[in-house]
Amino acid sequence: MNILIINGSPRKKGLISQMLGIMREEAEKRGDTVETVYTNDLTVKPCTGCMACRTKGKCVLAEDDSQRVLQMMQQADAIIMGAPCYWGNIPGQMKLMFDRQVYGMMRDTPRFPEPLMKGKKCILISTCTTPWPWNILFKQSRGAIRAMREIAHYAGFNIVKTIERGGTAMHPLLTEKDKQKCRKAISCLVLNKVDTKSSTLW
């Protein structure tokens, strides 16, 4: 299986990066091919909202990393998206990338959008400083998951697992339970298993 990890965190040693690293290691142990993209390392110009890509099937702006990552997504069997919560949402650089990729992820039709990533599996993870259960009730980590779920849903991804980790200010280190959740998530990709329950840590 070819797996693409999209890391939306600017902190390469932060909890999101650590969790994604555990998932990568577990997938590679199983023989999967894994690539990681750090959205903060990308050069991506903002979408201008011209809507030309909806009819042309490509972005009219000069080629940059958004197209390169889109090609990686198209070639992958599964995507793992990870992002910390910024104001109840995903970080701007990650959103910027997805804004520029709309034409390759869904197609407009007279009735409903047509998903272009159908059949691909997806795992979503998020962290935030707000402790449980307030990270859920106040839609902090839950807000970031919602934003990624929205993108994945309309693109046609089959979301097999979500993980939320709140309380990072009070508990800045991953526990063994956290790490095990990440390792087990990979089995949802490999074994064609769908875990419909969100794993909320802390």
Side-chain angles (χ1 to χ4, degrees):
M1 179 178 287
N2 293 321
I3 300 174
L4 175 64
I5 294 175
I6 300 177
N7 187 339
S9 174
R11 299 176 60 195
K12 292 187 177 180
K13 294 184 180 180
L15 291 192
I16 285 289
S17 296
Q18 291 177 47
M19 294 167 78
L20 292 175
I22 292 169
M23 290 183 177
R24 176 171 186 146
E25 183 179 322
E26 187 67 19
E28 289 177 336
K29 281 182 183 177
R30 296 171 183 265
D32 297 315
T33 300
V34 187
E35 291 186 88
T36 301
V37 167
Y38 295 90
T39 58
N40 266 51
D41 289 348
L42 303 179
T43 300
V44 179
K45 291 183 179 179
C47 174
T48 62
C50 70
M51 304 297 285
C53 68
R54 302 300 181 94
T55 54
K56 295 179 180 293
K58 64 178 183 179
C59 183
V60 297
L61 298 179
E63 185 170 341
D64 58 25
D65 287 334
S66 64
Q67 289 96 328
R68 180 178 64 84
V69 176
L70 177 60
Q71 290 174 357
M72 295 170 73
M73 294 175 70
Q74 291 167 335
Q75 294 164 5
D77 301 305
I79 308 291
I80 302 174
M81 302 184 201
C85 167
Y86 282 18
W87 287 100
N89 211 314
I90 59 177
Q93 188 68 15
M94 188 181 200
K95 176 67 163 55
L96 187 64
M97 181 193 75
F98 283 123
D99 286 347
R100 288 283 308 284
Q101 296 172 339
V102 172
Y103 68 93
M105 299 179 74
M106 55 168 271
R107 180 185 296 121
D108 282 340
T109 72
R111 297 190 65 192
F112 302 107
E114 177 188 352
L116 300 178
M117 296 284 179
K118 201 168 183 179
K120 298 179 187 291
K121 299 174 186 177
C122 186
I123 294 173
L124 309 176
I125 71 171
S126 183
T127 60
C128 70
T129 57
T130 308
W132 184 87
W134 313 114
N135 60 314
I136 306 300
L137 297 175
F138 294 162
K139 299 181 181 179
Q140 294 304 298
S141 62
R142 184 57 52 90
I145 289 289
R146 182 209 59 78
M148 290 186 283
R149 188 184 292 277
E150 182 93 351
I151 293 164
H153 170 72
Y154 282 104
F157 287 107
N158 178 21
I159 302 170
V160 298
K161 184 69 174 175
T162 64
I163 299 175
E164 298 177 50
R165 168 63 146 84
T168 60
M170 296 175 63
H171 304 280
L173 301 178
L174 291 179
T175 66
E176 283 305 314
K177 183 180 178 181
D178 296 337
K179 296 173 183 178
Q180 190 59 27
K181 289 280 187 182
C182 294
R183 295 188 189 102
K184 286 180 66 177
I186 295 300
S187 67
C188 295
L189 298 177
V190 178
L191 300 177
N192 294 317
K193 174 184 174 185
V194 177
D195 189 338
T196 56
K197 295 182 179 179
S198 172
S199 290
T200 304
L201 307 175
W202 295 105

